[in-house]
C-alpha cells in the first residue's frame, strides 16, 4: 500500500469533484489531502469500496 502515497487522485462525492494527493495509507485508513476546490484532508476507511469514490489520476 505504500506505493499509493504521493499519487494524485480525484474524489467524487455528491457530484462534487475534488483533486488531491494521497498522504497516508495503512491497513485501516487512507488520508487524502485535497487542494481543489479548498484545502482539506479527507479520511476514508481502507476497504475496496473507497476506490469507487477515489480515482487514481496518474498511473506510474
Amino acid at each position: 500500500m505504500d506505493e499509493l502515497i504521493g499519487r494524485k487522485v480525484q474524489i467524487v462525492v455528491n457530484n462534487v469533484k475534488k483533486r488531491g494527493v494521497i498522504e497516508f495509507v495503512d491497513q485501516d485508513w487512507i488520508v487524502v489531502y485535497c487542494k481543489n476546490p479548498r484545502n482539506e484532508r479527507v479520511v476514508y476507511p481502507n476497504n475496496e469500496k473507497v476506490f469507487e469514490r477515489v480515482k487514481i489520476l496518474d498511473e506510474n
Side-chain angles (χ1 to χ4, degrees), residues 15-32:
N15 293 328
V16 176
K17 294 180 182 176
K18 299 178 183 181
R19 292 182 183 251
V21 177
I22 296 177
E23 271 191 337
F24 176 78
V25 177
D26 71 359
Q27 63 185 1
D28 297 325
W29 303 102
I30 295 176
V31 178
V32 178

Side-chain angles (χ1 to χ4, degrees), residues 9-12 22 30 32 44 49-56:
V9 295
Q10 179 176 355
I11 303 168
V12 179
I22 296 177
I30 295 176
V32 178
Y44 290 104
K49 245 184 158 167
V50 74
F51 291 106
E52 293 175 4
R53 292 185 184 168
V54 177
K55 176 182 165 189
I56 297 177

